[in-house]
Amino acid sequence: MKSKQIALCGLLCALAVTMLLLGGMLGIGMFAGPILAMAVLLPILEEYGTKTAAVAYGATAILAVLLVPDRETALVFAFFGWYPLLRPRLDRIHSRPVRLLVKLAVCNTIIAVLYGLVLRLMGLTADLLDAVRWMNLLLLLLANVTFLVMDRALERLTFLWHRKLRKRFFR
């Protein structure tokens, strides 16, 4: 049974890295690639649990940082890719407004750390500070909307896995 688990995890990790590679080749793929890679790793989380999914995420993140030529795509996955592991715990919060606020707080914290690190390493902080303040706020708002759409998509894909796809792969 372990050999089947290892084979599936290896195959899905390779597919996730491929999604990141393809996403890095497209302009809009910087965000689509990491979201597709997260979706590819969902069956590992649903079938084998959080620990195995965390190892698969870690392996995929390391491979992405090493192999994906578009560093921003790889870093977006490395910083956001673990969110599907956290999502089931956040969904246990009973109050819907509190759950939404916690998810947005997670999103904004990740964005602040990710782009703070990227901008410091690249030395682009002066360019960002010189930009129009409302433009930066608009980009942050769009990032939050994208995050909420991604969260909803992960919810629907998890539902789809349990209702339709699981039967085809696990008999």
Side-chain angles (χ1 to χ4, degrees):
M1 189 61 168
K2 283 283 190 185
S3 60
K4 182 179 178 181
Q5 180 180 353
I6 291 170
L8 179 65
C9 290
L11 182 69
L12 291 178
C13 286
L15 185 58
V17 172
T18 303
M19 292 294 165
L20 292 167
L21 282 166
L22 292 174
M25 292 179 189
L26 306 171
I28 192 143
M30 180 177 56
F31 299 111
I35 292 171
L36 289 173
M38 284 183 238
V40 165
L41 295 177
L42 274 178
I44 298 172
L45 176 64
E46 296 302 316
E47 295 303 316
Y48 302 120
T50 305
K51 288 182 183 179
T52 306
V55 171
Y57 154 74
T60 304
I62 290 169
L63 287 171
V65 169
L66 293 175
L67 298 176
V68 175
D70 184 10
R71 292 290 173 225
E72 196 169 6
T73 300
L75 288 174
V76 167
F77 179 78
F79 278 79
F80 278 99
W82 59 270
Y83 176 73
L85 304 174
L86 178 65
R87 199 176 68 71
R89 290 182 185 225
L90 295 179
D91 286 341
R92 290 186 205 141
I93 298 172
H94 295 292
S95 173
R96 197 172 198 177
V98 172
R99 183 173 55 234
L100 179 67
L101 287 175
V102 170
K103 286 181 179 185
L104 288 175
V106 167
C107 171
N108 288 312
T109 302
I110 294 170
I111 289 172
V113 171
L114 170 63
Y115 284 101
L117 180 69
V118 168
L119 293 173
R120 291 271 184 229
L121 289 176
M122 293 182 169
L124 300 174
T125 53
D127 292 338
L128 185 65
L129 293 175
D130 290 341
V132 179
R133 171 167 256 148
W134 65 267
M135 185 60 89
N136 289 332
L137 291 174
L138 178 65
L139 288 173
L140 184 62
L141 176 69
L142 289 173
N144 281 284
V145 169
T146 303
F147 180 80
L148 292 175
V149 169
M150 177 199 69
D151 182 60
R152 182 73 172 152
L154 290 173
E155 177 186 333
R156 302 294 291 166
L157 287 170
T158 302
F159 178 79
L160 179 68
W161 173 257
H162 285 289
R163 296 288 180 193
K164 302 272 183 188
L165 298 176
R166 187 176 191 281
K167 294 180 245 181
R168 293 183 184 176
F169 293 103
F170 292 97
R171 293 179 188 193

